[in-house]
Amino acid sequence: MTDFSRRVEQVSISGIREVFEAASEDAINLGLGQPDFPTPDHARQAAVEAIQAGEADGYTSNKGTRELRAAISAKHARDNDLEVDPEDVIATAGGSEALHIALEAHVDAGEEVIFPDPGFVSYDALTRLAGGTPNPVPLREDLTLDPETVEEAITDDTAAFVVNSPANPTGAVQSPADMREFARIADEHDVLCITDEVYEHIVFEGEHRSPLEFSEEGNVVLINACSKTYSMTGWRLGWVTGPTDRIERMLRVHQYVQACASAPAQYAAEAALSGPQDAVEEMVAAFERRRDVLLDGLDDMGLDYPTPKGAFYAMPNVPDGWVEEVLDRGVVVVPGDAFGQHGDGYARISYATGIEQLKEAIEIMGDATRAVR
């Protein structure tokens, strides 16, 4: 019998999914990283029109349609003051595939990838699937990634490090000074910086900047997606951009694992990126209101937390048994150690849900807090 690869045997189903499976069907779900808003109407309509016109029936270019890549280029000029050649963009099946092809194209067997701990679960898993060695590093007390910690972790075997801001699972936002430092580190040590900017627009305090703005030696690739900004998680449309030579190598991986991103999703994404941005502003304002309601509730419970400045997650310190008690009472939260060993003692709470449900969940979490103290 053919055995399983050592790479896949190092990876298991994520702790997030395990929590979902254990929860009852009527539980209040504060574990899901998915906006509860509809995809903007003009994006949906663009996909419908493309389907009805027969424009979405066949393969597109491996990199994606010219129109979508032009829209992504224009988005970076508008939002990031970056000049991005549409030829240096690959449309992918969500940000997840973009991260996957970035690691596959740059990591050899045994090479190290540095990433935040706690951090997004895919960083560890996709490093292992690429044959690399995970090198998670702890965060500051405010749950941001310290450039000095990253630089100290670099060895002769380091292929890449990952920056994520605004961050999942912490809600932390890196400062512009940090982002400039990450670019410097990549250039001076000649290692790749993979910057995950999927939550770019969901910022309440501070300012989003990209290491790509400060890169001088071509050692930064940028991952983004429509998933969170436009509430398009199910459409599976992301992208990666960076220097031409790096894009060419990532395209070699992408063309064999994916061929091209979903054609209807590409038309929807083009419209989302190019059309009115009012829905984004309204969604971010709603998330900020929910964040403030949740933080007030955590204060009433007496739980400590670093103030989340972006995304739609809070990560409080919680007592032993708190997560289990909350789950037993019908509210889904994710234990912090699902995101790395340094997440132990925390819980990730998503407030990507309606405010009335959130208030109900806060009451239940308050009861659970009193029960375990």
Side-chain angles (χ1 to χ4, degrees):
M1 172 183 166
T2 301
D3 208 349
F4 302 107
S5 72
R6 287 189 295 274
R7 298 186 309 282
V8 79
E9 288 295 82
Q10 294 181 67
V11 176
S12 59
I13 301 299
S14 81
I16 302 172
R17 290 293 169 187
E18 290 179 357
V19 169
F20 291 162
E21 293 297 327
S24 63
E25 290 184 4
D26 57 350
I28 300 174
N29 195 336
L30 302 186
L32 195 60
Q34 174 170 278
D36 62 323
F37 296 87
T39 299
D41 285 342
H42 60 280
R44 289 177 171 178
Q45 189 59 36
V48 169
E49 291 174 2
I51 291 169
Q52 290 177 336
E55 296 172 346
D57 292 346
Y59 294 120
T60 70
S61 161
N62 288 144
K63 289 182 179 179
T65 67
R66 290 183 181 276
E67 293 79 8
L68 171 59
R69 288 182 284 122
I72 291 169
S73 175
K75 167 259 175 297
H76 283 298
R78 176 187 73 215
D79 298 340
N80 311 107
D81 197 25
L82 282 172
E83 290 187 18
V84 172
D85 187 333
E87 288 301 308
D88 290 334
V89 174
I90 303 172
T92 60
S96 296
E97 193 221 340
L99 177 63
H100 175 57
I101 65 174
L103 290 169
E104 288 288 346
H106 292 96
V107 179
D108 272 326
E111 288 189 324
E112 296 175 355
V113 177
I114 299 166
F115 52 81
D117 180 358
F120 182 43
V121 294
S122 291
Y123 302 148
D124 184 288
L126 291 179
T127 295
R128 294 178 189 275
L129 290 174
T133 300
N135 186 4
V137 295
L139 305 178
R140 297 166 171 145
E141 287 189 9
D142 66 355
L143 300 184
T144 57
L145 181 63
D146 189 340
E148 185 176 342
T149 302
V150 171
E151 192 161 24
E152 290 173 350
I154 291 174
T155 72
D156 291 342
D157 294 323
T158 301
F161 65 90
V162 180
V163 176
N164 177 211
S165 178
N168 176 10
T170 64
V173 175
Q174 301 287 154
S175 70
D178 283 346
M179 293 306 216
R180 185 183 295 274
E181 274 294 281
F182 290 132
R184 177 195 64 78
I185 291 166
D187 287 345
E188 288 190 8
H189 293 270
D190 199 23
V191 299
L192 180 67
C193 171
I194 300 173
T195 175
D196 178 349
E197 303 182 13
V198 168
Y199 293 88
E200 169 190 6
H201 287 287
I202 309 175
V203 175
F204 318 127
E205 300 174 36
E207 177 188 8
H208 174 74
R209 300 290 293 275
S210 174
L212 190 57
E213 297 177 49
F214 309 112
S215 175
E216 297 179 357
E217 302 295 332
N219 285 322
V220 176
V221 297
L222 184 156
I223 289 166
N224 209 324
C226 292
S227 299
K228 315 298 181 178
T229 300
Y230 300 104
S231 195
M232 292 176 64
T233 54
W235 295 82
R236 308 312 303 137
L237 197 292
W239 69 88
V240 60
T241 187
T244 301
D245 57 346
R246 297 191 185 279
I247 290 296
E248 196 276 334
R249 268 61 170 197
M250 287 185 279
L251 185 64
R252 297 181 194 182
V253 183
H254 170 73
Q255 69 176 346
Y256 290 114
V257 301
Q258 192 65 27
C260 66
S262 159
Q266 291 189 51
Y267 286 99
E270 178 196 340
L273 290 161
S274 303
Q277 302 298 300
D278 309 48
V280 178
E281 296 170 6
E282 292 168 6
M283 185 172 65
V284 172
F287 283 141
E288 185 170 10
R289 288 193 296 272
R290 295 174 188 182
R291 180 200 66 161
D292 293 343
V293 167
L294 174 60
L295 297 188
D296 286 344
L298 295 178
D299 287 337
D300 291 342
M301 296 175 216
L303 298 180
D304 294 327
Y305 55 85
T307 299
K309 297 182 178 181
F312 38 71
Y313 308 107
M315 208 164 186
N317 293 105
V318 296
D320 288 345
W322 188 88
V323 170
E324 293 78 9
E325 186 70 25
V326 169
L327 289 169
D328 287 345
R329 292 170 181 262
V331 174
V332 177
V333 296
V334 184
D337 59 8
F339 304 97
Q341 65 175 0
H342 293 289
D344 189 36
Y346 293 89
R348 190 190 77 169
I349 303 172
S350 168
Y351 44 91
T353 190
I355 199 156
E356 293 306 317
Q357 265 204 325
L358 182 61
K359 289 178 179 178
E360 182 182 351
I362 289 169
E363 288 188 17
I364 295 169
M365 290 189 289
D367 292 341
T369 304
R370 288 184 286 273
V372 298
R373 281 184 167 161

